[in-house]
Amino acid sequence: MTLPQPSDRIDRPAPSLDRRRRSCRHGAGRGRWIHPLVLLWLCLLAATGVVAAADQTPPLRDYAVDMWTSRNGLPHNSLRGIAQTPEGHLWFATWEGVARYNGLDFDLYDRSTRPGLLDNGIGALYVDHDGALWVTDSRGNVLRRTLDGRWRQWPQQPPAPKVLIQAMQKDSKGRLWLLYEGRGLGYLAPDGHLVYEPPPPGAQVNMTLSNWLAVDDRDRVWVGTMDGLKLRGDDGVLRDAPAALDLPPGPAWPYRAPDGAVWIVTDGALYRMHSGGARRVHVLPGVSHTTAMLQDHHGDLWLGTENQGLFRIGSHGVERLPDSRQMQNGRITSLMEDAEGSIWVGGNGGLYRLRETLFTSYTTRDGLSGDYVRAVIEDDQRRLWIGGAAGLDRMEHDGRIVPVPLRNSVGKAPSVLSVIQSRDGAMWVGTFGDGIYRIDRDGRSRHYGTANGLAAGNVRVMAADRNGDGIWAGTQRGVVRLTAEGVQVPVAAGLPGGLVTALRDTDDGLWIGTIEGIRVLRGTTVQRLDVDGLGGGRSIFGFTPVGDAMWATSDRGLYRYRDGRLARVGLEQGMPVDTVFEMVPDRLGNVWISSNRGILRTTQAALDAVADVRSPRIEVERYNEIDGMYNAQANGSTGPSAVLRGDGTYWVATAGGLSMVDPLRLQRFRERLPPPVVVESVQLDGVPLHWQANGVAAIPGGRRLTVGYVGLSYLMSDRIRYRTRLEGLDRDWIERGNQRSVEFVGLPPGDYTLHVSAMHPGGRWSESEAAWKFTVEPLLWQRHSVQAAAGVALLLALVALCRYLIHRYKTSNMRLARQVAERTADLQLQAERLLAANQEKTALAERLRQQAVAFERQAHEDPLTGLPNRRAFDEALARDFARSQRSGHPLSLLVLDIDHFKTVNDSWSHSVGDQVLCEVAGLLAASCRDSDLPARLGGEEFALLLNDTALDEAQRVCTRLQGLFHAQRNWAGIDNLRVTFSAGLVQLAADDRTPLLLFQRADKALYQAKSDGRDRICLG
């Protein structure tokens, strides 16, 4: 659908705190209240720039959409109204009662609860200036819930009809106006009596919808119907709206905005009331059957429709939510903006929430081939190339994402790890196991693989060659240079021969990052930078030149190389994580750093200050899913995994799609305000307590007190952290993590105040605390009168006890003499027993020594096969490796793996598999000399360490062993069960500096044997 721009700009007053708190209501009813807690919160919003000017509103496409249905705890999927009470709870009107939401749980109020409702079918919700929640139902009843949790009911009474009350709103006199479905108006007077006003003869009010009621500043009541607009004027009579308003025939209904303006909604147009009448502000051809409306704190208008979804009219014109994020299942019945600026949408298919976020995410629903994105880069035509596990995509200038057709040898899209553009404009694509593709400007592609001299394996990073039209590529066996002519391997002493994880070609040379640090290739010389010696860095993931310095990202933070010296900014200096992937400075002085735990932001000046030791710590802001990222896990060790586009926006590859942020919008999101926190429940020995009563609650002593609390933020509510302080007991705050309740048992008598504070992860603690005062009453024995009487009784008891003790003293002297003699005999007997016990201890020590010897043997022996285990093998390998290096005698190592062993387990059972392993162990033990060491490394993997054995002799041993395997046809007693193995065989070489390197060569040879078809021995 193509929608026009608005015919006239919205009259948009500057956002104010008064409007901000009014917007936290459902679309029909607007109160005139503000709670101190919310006021403080909103003042902070204004101070920090989160409440911004209208021209800073992002496009509707950039909003994140969340959804709740009955599967998530809603009692019913059709919502007729939404409201927010001053403390921050959200309330939803459904056909199965009223649901209260705290960001984590829905609490249901219906006819079965105590206190209960009079009917489950809820018609409307409204919050008045006192913060009380008003509820109407389908049988004409009215209820009110005050801030202390108390309910009051006004049951339906004739002559009021027993029908659904669809909307309500208060006027300046305190009258609560009620819209009865098809039956006219009524109001609840301030003194509590109900007045019903049936429609006059001839008035057509039989077709109304939810929230089609508005009360203006003159206390006139506007009512919308399918037959046109109705007005109850100063004369108290409900009649057709004046013809002077010049409204089109057909459905029309009113909406009162937070700024007090009354809007009239008709099919295809919006009118705004003013002193001279109604002025048409917007013409909306193609938009029909508008059912709900909201003006947010930016001044933008939101429109819900019967079956066309959600629209917004603002600085970006008339916008419709994209189909991939559009509300489904029919009518939108209610709209509300909460205190955090999120838009809540109630419809026939569930509850939706639109929240403005700093980051925008692109996933498969936006056209990506897959959500796991590894590389992103902008070409010289300002198109964005996106590589991921599902292939290569390109974002065109109009924002469309189209797949780039690349196919590997089996006809599938290759898994892309890196993308780069060379100076001739060609795009180069590095893959996982499928080599490198070159795509020229005409879209023709060429493939480079092992047949062209490219090493097999992954190509994680590439860099454009600044001296030609080729590129540098990092493979699993070092660096190569590719041009249109082919693959060239540079030769220079010190170049890495293993996996390359970062590349950058600069005037200062080719910077190479590996899993063992940094190398810089300058001509034919290679410089090694010792990052391991400074903070323990090993793996390097990216290079970023800034001025005369080169910054590197690593598994130990950031490294800076300048003027021949290394500096580091890591965990110890305030970085929130160890591993960082890509560092991208923007044009505003910010530096964006990707990591596994979100995107970090700081400034270049702050980084340099810490690197220069002018500042001890760095301040870093971290962004994650709460800021709009679909997945906060950024990807790294691929390239480039983040990029700054020509328009100044920052794009980063994540495990959940592609995320983007415009640094110009950063000021509005600099601080995520801490959530307000409320006490939600109190239980005494597991029984709910009415804790909201006026005054200080009195708690009997010696009881178990449990207090539940919650932070009322609806952005990542499950990650809110809490702390408590019980004034009267605790001196300092006690952090509770994500725990939402605290329990006290046996508190001493006295007066207490429980303080609760909350914060978002990485944020600051809320200054507005929840506080609940209570008094613990003393137990009977803790009262002063009882304690005084007990003191007198104790004194009398002491006198009697003293006289009794004197008598006992006299008689005890005689008893003592007898006891001395008896004890002497006992001591002699005990000495004899101790001597016998000492002899038993000596025997026990000998048994323990024998058990220790047995345990030592078990620690080095595989319990199934009886062969040495991995621990014994590692010790023998280290010992023989050192001995071979000293003596110069050959040392060979065979690592083998039983082919298709899982098939044996799956086909014949694990007991047969265990028997096969034992027989393999027997063949290994029988095929080697006493000086050799067969071992089971784990599972179906074995090793054979051959001392004083050269490679050719070891190969004969392996061939003989392979023959034994082939000759045996009844493995584990099963006829024709054939068992083979794949093996890697190596001999100790001069460049094997450690036993691990020797073992890794054998393991690579084993991997090659498996890749070549199994049942073979490969030399490494």
Side-chain angles (χ1 to χ4, degrees):
M1 179 186 302
T2 302
L3 295 174
Q5 295 295 311
S7 60
D8 194 5
R9 183 173 176 83
I10 298 176
D11 295 333
R12 191 191 304 274
S16 66
L17 288 180
D18 181 63
R19 171 199 277 172
R20 179 76 168 133
R21 52 90 176 168
R22 286 183 184 178
S23 68
C24 301
R25 301 292 181 273
H26 52 78
R30 308 286 165 180
R32 300 181 177 86
W33 57 267
I34 186 164
H35 190 272
L37 182 105
V38 177
L39 178 61
L40 175 61
W41 200 14
L42 298 177
C43 288
L44 291 172
L45 281 170
T48 55
V50 176
V51 178
D55 57 1
Q56 293 177 306
T57 305
L60 189 57
R61 183 249 172 271
D62 290 350
Y63 279 71
V65 180
D66 307 300
M67 179 181 180
W68 292 261
T69 66
S70 55
R71 293 184 177 182
N72 309 107
L74 277 174
H76 194 276
N77 287 334
S78 181
L79 280 77
R80 299 185 55 83
I82 309 174
Q84 187 172 30
T85 41
E87 81 286 352
H89 282 107
L90 292 176
W91 300 80
F92 305 106
T94 78
W95 288 111
E96 292 296 334
V98 178
R100 186 182 73 175
Y101 187 49
N102 60 17
L104 294 171
D105 307 307
F106 289 96
D107 293 324
L108 179 63
Y109 295 83
D110 61 10
R111 294 184 65 239
S112 67
T113 56
R114 293 292 178 269
L117 306 183
L118 297 175
D119 186 70
N120 286 348
I122 305 303
L125 300 176
Y126 177 77
V127 179
D128 65 18
H129 64 281
D130 295 322
L133 176 70
W134 293 83
V135 182
T136 63
D137 63 32
S138 62
R139 284 174 166 76
N141 304 305
V142 181
L143 301 91
R144 182 182 68 184
R145 182 186 186 274
T146 55
L147 285 173
D148 61 1
R150 298 181 182 274
W151 290 84
R152 182 179 176 185
Q153 301 172 344
W154 286 266
Q156 177 272 339
Q157 294 181 356
K162 197 173 186 177
V163 298
L164 178 72
I165 299 178
Q166 294 182 306
M168 54 184 157
Q169 195 171 129
K170 274 192 175 183
D171 63 14
S172 63
K173 300 183 175 102
R175 296 177 295 182
L176 181 69
W177 286 94
L178 309 172
L179 176 61
Y180 292 91
E181 184 178 26
R183 302 292 292 275
L185 293 170
Y187 65 85
L188 187 64
D191 60 4
H193 76 276
L194 184 65
V195 178
Y196 173 61
E197 297 182 352
Q204 298 294 324
V205 292
N206 58 326
M207 289 295 291
T208 60
L209 291 180
S210 298
N211 302 325
W212 283 15
L213 172 75
V215 180
D216 63 19
D217 291 335
R218 294 169 51 187
D219 290 340
R220 296 181 300 177
V221 182
W222 300 79
V223 177
T225 75
M226 299 298 290
D227 298 317
L229 190 66
K230 311 298 178 183
L231 174 65
R232 181 190 184 278
D234 298 331
D235 58 358
V237 179
L238 182 68
R239 55 171 57 91
D240 292 340
L245 296 181
D246 195 23
L247 300 178
W253 55 274
Y255 164 74
R256 181 169 181 175
D259 58 5
V262 175
W263 293 77
I264 307 300
V265 183
T266 67
D267 271 355
L270 293 180
Y271 295 78
R272 180 169 176 169
M273 299 298 299
H274 57 88
S275 58
R279 179 167 63 91
R280 188 173 66 182
V281 178
H282 292 283
V283 177
L284 307 172
V287 180
S288 61
H289 304 305
T290 304
T291 54
M293 181 172 173
L294 171 72
Q295 185 182 63
D296 65 18
H297 72 281
H298 297 295
D300 293 342
L301 299 178
W302 298 77
L303 301 176
T305 65
E306 175 69 23
N307 55 14
Q308 293 177 287
L310 184 67
F311 295 83
R312 186 182 68 174
I313 307 173
S315 57
H316 297 280
V318 180
E319 302 172 274
R320 182 176 182 271
L321 199 64
D323 288 337
S324 61
R325 304 183 183 186
Q326 190 59 261
M327 290 75 191
Q328 305 297 326
N329 302 319
R331 177 186 304 162
I332 293 175
T333 57
S334 51
L335 294 169
M336 189 212 72
E337 182 183 30
D338 68 15
E340 295 176 300
S342 297
I343 305 299
W344 295 81
V345 183
N348 288 342
L351 172 68
Y352 300 84
R353 191 259 307 272
L354 283 80
R355 52 189 172 92
E356 183 181 340
T357 58
L358 176 62
F359 281 78
T360 300
S361 293
Y362 295 81
T363 63
T364 50
R365 65 185 180 184
D366 301 296
L368 286 179
S369 297
D371 286 340
Y372 199 84
V373 179
R374 294 191 179 106
V376 56
I377 190 172
E378 185 180 42
D379 65 16
D380 55 8
Q381 299 180 38
R382 297 294 175 88
R383 299 175 302 178
L384 199 66
W385 296 72
I386 307 157
L392 182 66
D393 299 308
R394 186 176 64 240
M395 182 181 289
E396 304 292 350
H397 299 103
D398 59 1
R400 290 182 301 110
I401 299 176
V402 297
V404 178
L406 290 179
R407 292 293 179 265
N408 58 18
S409 59
V410 295
K412 302 294 185 181
S415 179
V416 177
L417 298 177
S418 54
V419 184
I420 201 68
Q421 186 176 33
S422 54
R423 292 177 55 188
D424 60 357
M427 302 301 299
W428 298 75
V429 183
T431 69
F432 181 92
D434 288 314
I436 296 176
Y437 295 82
R438 180 182 183 272
I439 306 173
D440 63 19
R441 288 191 182 275
D442 296 325
R444 295 187 299 266
S445 64
R446 175 183 174 185
H447 178 253
Y448 296 80
T450 54
N452 307 99
L454 188 67
N458 308 333
V459 181
R460 291 188 168 274
V461 289
M462 298 184 293
D465 186 356
R466 60 187 177 87
N467 295 321
D469 293 334
I471 64 161
W472 294 93
T475 74
Q476 288 188 272
R477 296 186 179 179
V479 177
V480 297
R481 184 174 180 273
L482 283 80
T483 64
E485 288 73 30
V487 180
Q488 303 170 6
V489 180
V491 178
L495 273 178
L499 179 64
V500 175
T501 54
L503 279 177
R504 190 69 178 247
D505 194 14
T506 69
D507 293 338
D508 188 38
L510 180 66
W511 291 73
I512 306 169
T514 72
I515 58 175
E516 295 181 345
I518 300 175
R519 306 289 190 277
V520 185
L521 174 63
R522 300 183 180 94
T524 59
T525 63
V526 176
Q527 179 187 4
R528 178 180 182 277
L529 301 183
D530 183 20
V531 294
D532 191 8
L534 182 62
R538 294 282 292 171
S539 297
I540 305 299
F541 301 116
F543 296 108
T544 303
V546 179
D548 59 349
M550 178 65 76
W551 288 83
T553 54
S554 77
D555 58 351
R556 285 296 183 268
L558 294 167
Y559 286 89
R560 186 190 70 180
Y561 182 76
R562 188 175 68 185
D563 299 331
R565 297 191 343 186
L566 271 175
R568 175 175 170 266
V569 182
L571 202 65
E572 298 80 0
Q573 289 77 34
M575 293 287 285
V577 295
D578 257 332
T579 301
V580 291
F581 296 133
E582 199 87 44
M583 168 180 164
V584 178
D586 65 19
R587 298 167 187 167
L588 303 179
N590 301 300
V591 175
W592 302 85
I593 305 166
S594 60
S595 78
N596 277 323
R597 294 164 59 188
I599 303 302
L600 315 179
R601 191 204 63 83
T602 185
T603 64
Q604 189 61 52
L607 285 173
D608 285 327
V610 174
D612 293 337
V613 200
R614 290 183 282 108
S615 176
R617 295 185 64 81
I618 190 166
E619 295 295 328
V620 176
E621 293 181 5
R622 179 162 56 184
Y623 305 99
N624 49 32
E625 289 90 348
I626 195 173
D627 302 291
M629 298 183 69
Y630 192 79
N631 191 313
Q633 177 188 323
N635 282 326
S637 190
T638 54
S641 58
V643 66
L644 189 74
R645 297 194 68 179
D647 60 3
T649 55
Y650 168 75
W651 298 71
V652 59
T654 77
L658 186 66
S659 291
M660 180 274 287
V661 61
D662 186 349
L664 292 174
R665 295 176 55 207
L666 180 64
Q667 184 58 36
R668 302 173 59 200
F669 297 88
R670 287 295 301 274
E671 176 144 359
R672 186 162 57 241
L673 296 177
V677 61
V678 297
V679 174
E680 203 167 54
S681 65
V682 176
Q683 292 184 346
L684 198 61
D685 288 342
V687 178
L689 179 71
H690 185 65
W691 59 277
Q692 293 174 308
N694 294 329
V696 179
I699 306 298
R703 310 288 287 276
R704 175 169 54 90
L705 179 66
T706 305
V707 182
Y709 44 81
V710 66
L712 292 178
S713 170
Y714 301 94
L715 305 174
M716 303 296 286
S717 308
D718 56 337
R719 296 170 59 187
I720 295 176
R721 300 182 61 84
Y722 300 93
R723 64 177 182 176
T724 64
R725 181 172 62 88
L726 184 60
E727 185 179 338
L729 181 68
D730 301 327
R731 298 183 58 184
D732 299 312
W733 288 95
I734 300 174
E735 295 197 20
R736 303 290 181 179
N738 301 119
Q739 177 183 326
R740 293 198 297 122
S741 64
V742 63
E743 187 173 279
F744 305 99
V745 179
L747 284 174
D751 298 327
Y752 298 92
T753 302
L754 177 64
H755 300 269
V756 186
S757 180
M759 75 171 184
H760 288 295
R764 56 186 177 83
W765 292 105
S766 56
E767 297 178 4
S768 56
E769 307 164 359
W772 177 56
K773 295 182 178 181
F774 63 95
T775 297
V776 176
E777 298 177 337
L779 297 172
L780 179 64
W781 56 268
Q782 292 174 323
R783 297 176 181 175
H784 295 303
S785 58
V786 174
Q787 291 174 347
V792 173
L794 179 61
L795 180 61
L796 295 176
L798 288 174
V799 172
L801 178 63
C802 181
R803 298 188 62 177
Y804 171 75
L805 290 176
I806 292 173
H807 173 72
R808 287 289 305 271
Y809 176 74
K810 293 178 180 180
T811 60
S812 65
N813 284 336
M814 294 183 293
R815 237 183 0 258
L816 181 60
R818 292 193 305 268
Q819 290 175 352
V820 168
E822 293 172 355
R823 293 292 175 86
T824 301
D826 289 340
L827 288 174
Q828 291 175 349
L829 181 59
Q830 290 177 9
E832 295 173 357
R833 291 175 179 174
L834 288 174
L835 182 59
N838 183 57
Q839 294 173 349
E840 292 178 0
K841 182 182 70 173
T842 302
L844 177 60
E846 177 59 21
R847 288 197 300 272
L848 290 175
R849 185 190 63 79
Q850 294 173 358
Q851 289 180 358
V853 172
F855 289 157
E856 177 66 19
R857 184 179 65 256
Q858 292 174 4
H860 290 75
E861 183 179 283
D862 178 54
L864 177 63
T865 63
L867 292 179
N869 60 14
R870 179 61 183 262
R871 177 178 179 183
F873 170 79
D874 288 340
E875 293 174 357
L877 177 60
R879 180 185 66 248
D880 292 344
F881 180 92
R883 182 172 59 192
S884 180
Q885 282 192 326
R886 290 195 305 270
S887 65
H889 292 174
L891 175 64
S892 295
L893 173 61
L894 173 70
V895 178
L896 62 89
D897 192 284
I898 306 303
D899 295 331
H900 306 295
F901 184 74
K902 184 177 183 300
T903 304
V904 175
N905 280 335
D906 294 342
S907 302
W908 301 98
S909 82
H910 285 272
S911 61
V912 172
D914 290 345
Q915 181 62 31
V916 169
L917 292 177
C918 292
E919 293 179 10
V920 169
L923 287 180
L924 274 177
S927 301
C928 63
R929 304 166 302 180
D930 292 340
S931 60
D932 301 331
L933 178 73
R936 183 188 178 196
L937 302 185
E940 63 270 25
E941 188 174 0
F942 294 80
L944 183 58
L945 189 60
L946 302 171
N947 280 296
D948 298 326
T949 305
L951 187 62
D952 54 347
E953 183 181 353
Q955 191 171 3
R956 288 194 294 273
V957 173
C958 295
T959 303
R960 184 169 62 252
L961 180 61
Q962 191 176 38
L964 293 174
F965 270 63
H966 290 168
Q968 186 163 336
R969 293 292 180 175
N970 59 340
W971 290 85
I974 297 174
D975 292 335
N976 296 322
L977 175 59
R978 186 171 180 265
V979 176
T980 62
F981 67 87
S982 300
L985 178 63
V986 295
Q987 180 180 343
L988 178 62
D991 54 352
D992 290 327
R993 297 185 300 276
T994 65
L996 177 60
L997 293 177
L998 176 63
F999 184 86
Q1000 288 177 345
R1001 285 204 299 120
D1003 198 53
K1004 287 183 179 179
L1006 169 59
Y1007 177 78
Q1008 185 63 43
K1010 287 184 176 183
S1011 301
D1012 291 345
R1014 303 182 185 270
D1015 190 19
R1016 62 194 64 225
I1017 302 166
C1018 286
L1019 304 181

